[in-house]
Short mmCIF file of all heavy atoms in Angstrom, two decimals:
data_model
loop_
_atom_site.label_atom_id
_atom_site.label_comp_id
_atom_site.label_asym_id
_atom_site.label_seq_id
_atom_site.Cartn_x
_atom_site.Cartn_y
_atom_site.Cartn_z
N PHE A 1 137.15 144.27 47.05
CA PHE A 1 137.76 145.43 47.69
C PHE A 1 138.88 146.03 46.84
O PHE A 1 139.03 147.26 46.78
CB PHE A 1 138.30 145.03 49.07
CG PHE A 1 137.23 144.54 50.00
CD1 PHE A 1 136.99 143.18 50.17
CD2 PHE A 1 136.44 145.43 50.70
CE1 PHE A 1 135.99 142.73 51.02
CE2 PHE A 1 135.43 144.99 51.55
CZ PHE A 1 135.20 143.63 51.71
N SER A 2 139.64 145.17 46.15
CA SER A 2 140.71 145.71 45.30
C SER A 2 140.15 146.45 44.10
O SER A 2 140.84 147.26 43.48
CB SER A 2 141.63 144.58 44.83
OG SER A 2 140.94 143.67 43.98
N SER A 3 138.86 146.21 43.76
CA SER A 3 138.27 146.85 42.59
C SER A 3 138.16 148.36 42.74
O SER A 3 137.98 149.06 41.74
CB SER A 3 136.88 146.27 42.32
OG SER A 3 135.97 146.60 43.36
N PHE A 4 138.29 148.87 43.96
CA PHE A 4 138.21 150.32 44.16
C PHE A 4 139.55 151.01 43.94
O PHE A 4 139.63 152.23 44.06
CB PHE A 4 137.70 150.62 45.57
CG PHE A 4 136.23 150.39 45.74
CD1 PHE A 4 135.74 149.17 46.21
CD2 PHE A 4 135.31 151.37 45.40
CE1 PHE A 4 134.38 148.95 46.36
CE2 PHE A 4 133.95 151.16 45.55
CZ PHE A 4 133.49 149.95 46.02
N GLY A 5 140.59 150.25 43.62
CA GLY A 5 141.88 150.89 43.42
C GLY A 5 142.79 150.18 42.44
O GLY A 5 144.01 150.38 42.49
N ASP A 6 142.24 149.35 41.55
CA ASP A 6 143.09 148.56 40.65
C ASP A 6 143.02 148.98 39.20
O ASP A 6 143.57 148.29 38.33
CB ASP A 6 142.73 147.08 40.77
CG ASP A 6 141.33 146.76 40.26
OD1 ASP A 6 140.58 147.71 39.96
OD2 ASP A 6 140.98 145.58 40.16
N ALA A 7 142.36 150.08 38.90
CA ALA A 7 142.28 150.51 37.49
C ALA A 7 143.68 150.84 36.99
O ALA A 7 144.41 151.60 37.63
CB ALA A 7 141.37 151.74 37.36
N PRO A 8 144.09 150.27 35.86
CA PRO A 8 145.47 150.48 35.39
C PRO A 8 145.78 151.93 35.05
O PRO A 8 146.94 152.33 35.06
CB PRO A 8 145.56 149.58 34.16
CG PRO A 8 144.16 149.38 33.72
CD PRO A 8 143.35 149.39 34.96
N GLY A 9 144.76 152.71 34.75
CA GLY A 9 144.97 154.12 34.43
C GLY A 9 144.97 155.03 35.63
O GLY A 9 144.99 156.26 35.48
N GLY A 10 144.93 154.45 36.85
CA GLY A 10 144.98 155.26 38.05
C GLY A 10 143.63 155.78 38.49
O GLY A 10 142.57 155.29 38.08
N PHE A 11 143.67 156.81 39.33
CA PHE A 11 142.45 157.33 39.96
C PHE A 11 141.46 157.86 38.93
O PHE A 11 140.25 157.70 39.09
CB PHE A 11 142.82 158.42 40.96
CG PHE A 11 141.65 158.98 41.71
CD1 PHE A 11 140.99 158.21 42.66
CD2 PHE A 11 141.19 160.26 41.46
CE1 PHE A 11 139.89 158.73 43.36
CE2 PHE A 11 140.11 160.78 42.16
CZ PHE A 11 139.46 160.01 43.11
N SER A 12 141.95 158.49 37.89
CA SER A 12 141.05 159.05 36.88
C SER A 12 140.24 157.94 36.20
O SER A 12 139.04 158.11 35.94
CB SER A 12 141.82 159.85 35.85
OG SER A 12 142.76 159.03 35.16
N GLU A 13 140.89 156.80 35.92
CA GLU A 13 140.15 155.69 35.33
C GLU A 13 139.22 155.04 36.34
O GLU A 13 138.14 154.58 35.99
CB GLU A 13 141.11 154.64 34.76
CG GLU A 13 140.39 153.51 34.06
CD GLU A 13 141.30 152.48 33.43
OE1 GLU A 13 142.49 152.78 33.24
OE2 GLU A 13 140.83 151.36 33.12
N GLU A 14 139.62 155.02 37.61
CA GLU A 14 138.77 154.46 38.65
C GLU A 14 137.45 155.21 38.72
O GLU A 14 136.37 154.61 38.88
CB GLU A 14 139.49 154.51 39.99
CG GLU A 14 138.95 153.54 41.03
CD GLU A 14 139.24 152.09 40.69
OE1 GLU A 14 140.41 151.75 40.44
OE2 GLU A 14 138.27 151.30 40.67
N LEU A 15 137.51 156.53 38.61
CA LEU A 15 136.28 157.33 38.65
C LEU A 15 135.38 157.01 37.46
O LEU A 15 134.14 157.09 37.58
CB LEU A 15 136.63 158.82 38.65
CG LEU A 15 137.26 159.37 39.93
CD1 LEU A 15 137.59 160.85 39.77
CD2 LEU A 15 136.35 159.17 41.14
N LYS A 16 135.97 156.65 36.34
CA LYS A 16 135.18 156.34 35.16
C LYS A 16 134.42 155.02 35.30
O LYS A 16 133.52 154.75 34.51
CB LYS A 16 136.07 156.29 33.92
CG LYS A 16 136.66 157.65 33.55
CD LYS A 16 137.60 157.54 32.37
CE LYS A 16 138.20 158.89 32.03
NZ LYS A 16 139.17 158.82 30.91
N GLU A 17 134.78 154.22 36.29
CA GLU A 17 134.06 152.96 36.52
C GLU A 17 132.73 153.17 37.24
O GLU A 17 131.94 152.24 37.36
CB GLU A 17 134.95 152.00 37.31
CG GLU A 17 136.18 151.54 36.53
CD GLU A 17 137.02 150.55 37.30
OE1 GLU A 17 136.70 150.26 38.47
OE2 GLU A 17 138.02 150.05 36.73
N PHE A 18 132.48 154.37 37.73
CA PHE A 18 131.20 154.70 38.35
C PHE A 18 130.22 155.15 37.28
O PHE A 18 130.55 155.95 36.41
CB PHE A 18 131.36 155.81 39.39
CG PHE A 18 131.99 155.37 40.68
CD1 PHE A 18 133.36 155.32 40.79
CD2 PHE A 18 131.21 155.02 41.76
CE1 PHE A 18 133.96 154.92 41.98
CE2 PHE A 18 131.79 154.62 42.95
CZ PHE A 18 133.17 154.57 43.06
N THR A 19 129.01 154.64 37.35
CA THR A 19 127.92 155.17 36.54
C THR A 19 127.03 156.03 37.43
O THR A 19 127.02 155.87 38.65
CB THR A 19 127.07 154.05 35.91
OG1 THR A 19 126.37 153.34 36.95
CG2 THR A 19 127.95 153.07 35.15
N TRP A 20 126.29 156.94 36.83
CA TRP A 20 125.38 157.76 37.62
C TRP A 20 124.08 157.96 36.84
O TRP A 20 124.04 157.87 35.61
CB TRP A 20 126.00 159.11 37.99
CG TRP A 20 126.47 159.96 36.83
CD1 TRP A 20 127.71 159.99 36.27
CD2 TRP A 20 125.67 160.91 36.09
NE1 TRP A 20 127.76 160.89 35.24
CE2 TRP A 20 126.54 161.48 35.11
CE3 TRP A 20 124.36 161.34 36.16
CZ2 TRP A 20 126.09 162.44 34.21
CZ3 TRP A 20 123.91 162.30 35.26
CH2 TRP A 20 124.78 162.85 34.31
N SER A 21 123.04 158.19 37.59
CA SER A 21 121.73 158.41 36.98
C SER A 21 120.94 159.41 37.81
O SER A 21 121.12 159.52 39.03
CB SER A 21 120.96 157.09 36.85
OG SER A 21 120.91 156.40 38.08
N LEU A 22 120.08 160.13 37.14
CA LEU A 22 119.17 161.10 37.75
C LEU A 22 117.75 160.79 37.28
O LEU A 22 117.55 160.37 36.12
CB LEU A 22 119.55 162.53 37.37
CG LEU A 22 120.93 163.03 37.79
CD1 LEU A 22 121.21 164.39 37.17
CD2 LEU A 22 121.05 163.09 39.31
N GLY A 23 116.78 161.00 38.15
CA GLY A 23 115.41 160.70 37.75
C GLY A 23 114.40 161.46 38.59
O GLY A 23 114.70 161.97 39.68
N GLY A 24 113.21 161.55 38.06
CA GLY A 24 112.12 162.21 38.76
C GLY A 24 110.80 161.50 38.51
O GLY A 24 110.63 160.79 37.51
N GLU A 25 109.87 161.70 39.45
CA GLU A 25 108.56 161.06 39.36
C GLU A 25 107.50 162.04 39.87
O GLU A 25 107.67 162.65 40.93
CB GLU A 25 108.55 159.78 40.18
CG GLU A 25 107.24 159.01 40.16
CD GLU A 25 107.32 157.73 40.98
OE1 GLU A 25 107.79 157.78 42.14
OE2 GLU A 25 106.92 156.67 40.47
N TYR A 26 106.43 162.18 39.12
CA TYR A 26 105.32 163.04 39.52
C TYR A 26 104.06 162.20 39.67
O TYR A 26 103.70 161.44 38.77
CB TYR A 26 105.09 164.14 38.49
CG TYR A 26 103.77 164.87 38.66
CD1 TYR A 26 103.57 165.76 39.73
CD2 TYR A 26 102.71 164.65 37.78
CE1 TYR A 26 102.37 166.41 39.90
CE2 TYR A 26 101.50 165.30 37.94
CZ TYR A 26 101.33 166.17 39.00
OH TYR A 26 100.13 166.81 39.17
N TRP A 27 103.40 162.31 40.81
CA TRP A 27 102.14 161.61 41.06
C TRP A 27 101.01 162.62 41.20
O TRP A 27 101.14 163.62 41.92
CB TRP A 27 102.22 160.77 42.33
CG TRP A 27 102.80 159.41 42.13
CD1 TRP A 27 104.06 159.01 42.43
CD2 TRP A 27 102.13 158.26 41.60
NE1 TRP A 27 104.24 157.69 42.11
CE2 TRP A 27 103.07 157.19 41.60
CE3 TRP A 27 100.85 158.03 41.10
CZ2 TRP A 27 102.74 155.93 41.13
CZ3 TRP A 27 100.54 156.77 40.63
CH2 TRP A 27 101.46 155.73 40.65
N TYR A 28 99.90 162.34 40.53
CA TYR A 28 98.69 163.14 40.69
C TYR A 28 97.59 162.28 41.29
O TYR A 28 97.22 161.23 40.73
CB TYR A 28 98.23 163.70 39.33
CG TYR A 28 96.93 164.46 39.42
CD1 TYR A 28 96.88 165.70 40.06
CD2 TYR A 28 95.76 163.94 38.88
CE1 TYR A 28 95.69 166.40 40.15
CE2 TYR A 28 94.56 164.63 38.97
CZ TYR A 28 94.53 165.86 39.61
OH TYR A 28 93.34 166.54 39.72
N GLN A 29 97.09 162.70 42.43
CA GLN A 29 96.02 162.00 43.15
C GLN A 29 96.36 160.53 43.42
O GLN A 29 95.46 159.70 43.55
CB GLN A 29 94.69 162.10 42.39
CG GLN A 29 94.05 163.47 42.48
CD GLN A 29 92.63 163.47 41.94
OE1 GLN A 29 92.26 162.67 41.09
NE2 GLN A 29 91.81 164.38 42.44
N ASP A 30 97.62 160.24 43.47
CA ASP A 30 98.08 158.87 43.73
C ASP A 30 97.50 157.88 42.72
O ASP A 30 97.36 156.69 43.01
CB ASP A 30 97.71 158.45 45.16
CG ASP A 30 98.65 157.40 45.72
OD1 ASP A 30 99.83 157.39 45.31
OD2 ASP A 30 98.22 156.59 46.56
N SER A 31 97.15 158.40 41.52
CA SER A 31 96.52 157.56 40.51
C SER A 31 97.27 157.55 39.19
O SER A 31 97.22 156.56 38.45
CB SER A 31 95.08 158.01 40.25
OG SER A 31 94.30 157.90 41.43
N PHE A 32 97.92 158.66 38.86
CA PHE A 32 98.66 158.75 37.61
C PHE A 32 100.07 159.26 37.89
O PHE A 32 100.25 160.20 38.67
CB PHE A 32 97.96 159.68 36.62
CG PHE A 32 98.78 159.97 35.41
CD1 PHE A 32 98.90 159.04 34.38
CD2 PHE A 32 99.47 161.18 35.29
CE1 PHE A 32 99.68 159.31 33.27
CE2 PHE A 32 100.25 161.45 34.18
CZ PHE A 32 100.35 160.51 33.16
N ALA A 33 101.06 158.65 37.24
CA ALA A 33 102.45 159.05 37.43
C ALA A 33 103.12 159.30 36.09
O ALA A 33 102.85 158.61 35.10
CB ALA A 33 103.22 157.97 38.19
N PHE A 34 104.00 160.30 36.07
CA PHE A 34 104.85 160.57 34.92
C PHE A 34 106.30 160.57 35.40
O PHE A 34 106.61 161.14 36.45
CB PHE A 34 104.51 161.92 34.28
CG PHE A 34 105.44 162.29 33.16
CD1 PHE A 34 105.34 161.68 31.93
CD2 PHE A 34 106.43 163.25 33.36
CE1 PHE A 34 106.21 162.01 30.90
CE2 PHE A 34 107.30 163.59 32.34
CZ PHE A 34 107.19 162.97 31.10
N ARG A 35 107.18 159.92 34.63
CA ARG A 35 108.57 159.75 35.07
C ARG A 35 109.54 160.09 33.93
O ARG A 35 109.22 159.92 32.76
CB ARG A 35 108.81 158.30 35.52
CG ARG A 35 107.82 157.82 36.56
CD ARG A 35 108.04 156.36 36.94
NE ARG A 35 107.03 155.94 37.91
CZ ARG A 35 106.01 155.13 37.64
NH1 ARG A 35 105.87 154.63 36.42
NH2 ARG A 35 105.14 154.81 38.58
N LEU A 36 110.71 160.53 34.33
CA LEU A 36 111.80 160.74 33.37
C LEU A 36 113.12 160.51 34.07
O LEU A 36 113.22 160.59 35.30
CB LEU A 36 111.72 162.13 32.74
CG LEU A 36 111.66 163.36 33.66
CD1 LEU A 36 113.03 163.79 34.14
CD2 LEU A 36 111.00 164.52 32.92
N GLY A 37 114.16 160.22 33.28
CA GLY A 37 115.45 159.95 33.88
C GLY A 37 116.56 159.98 32.85
O GLY A 37 116.33 160.04 31.63
N TYR A 38 117.79 159.92 33.37
CA TYR A 38 118.97 159.90 32.51
C TYR A 38 120.03 159.02 33.15
O TYR A 38 120.25 159.09 34.37
CB TYR A 38 119.53 161.32 32.30
CG TYR A 38 120.78 161.33 31.44
CD1 TYR A 38 120.70 161.18 30.07
CD2 TYR A 38 122.04 161.48 32.02
CE1 TYR A 38 121.84 161.18 29.28
CE2 TYR A 38 123.19 161.48 31.24
CZ TYR A 38 123.08 161.33 29.87
OH TYR A 38 124.22 161.32 29.09
N PHE A 39 120.70 158.21 32.33
CA PHE A 39 121.75 157.30 32.79
C PHE A 39 123.03 157.61 32.02
O PHE A 39 123.01 157.80 30.80
CB PHE A 39 121.34 155.86 32.56
CG PHE A 39 122.35 154.83 32.99
CD1 PHE A 39 122.28 154.23 34.23
CD2 PHE A 39 123.39 154.46 32.13
CE1 PHE A 39 123.22 153.29 34.63
CE2 PHE A 39 124.33 153.51 32.51
CZ PHE A 39 124.24 152.93 33.76
N HIS A 40 124.17 157.63 32.76
CA HIS A 40 125.44 157.95 32.11
C HIS A 40 126.53 156.96 32.54
O HIS A 40 126.71 156.70 33.74
CB HIS A 40 125.90 159.36 32.48
CG HIS A 40 127.21 159.75 31.84
ND1 HIS A 40 127.29 160.32 30.61
CD2 HIS A 40 128.49 159.62 32.29
CE1 HIS A 40 128.56 160.54 30.31
NE2 HIS A 40 129.32 160.13 31.31
#
């Protein structure tokens, strides 16, 4: 619980502890899929 507010650099550094990712998936006839994504 303290990990959400203990970054020594304050709130701005706390936000940097979050990672985020985006992704997509396409299915054709429920037989073939193509996927892509990005992680930061």
Side-chain angles (χ1 to χ4, degrees):
F1 298 97
S2 66
S3 66
F4 285 94
D6 66 352
F11 183 70
S12 61
E13 183 177 343
E14 201 69 53
L15 290 178
K16 293 176 181 178
E17 294 182 356
F18 285 84
T19 67
W20 57 268
S21 52
L22 299 172
E25 180 179 49
Y26 166 72
W27 275 101
Y28 176 70
Q29 286 191 333
D30 207 29
S31 299
F32 171 77
F34 175 75
R35 307 177 182 107
L36 53 83
Y38 179 77
F39 179 95
H40 180 89

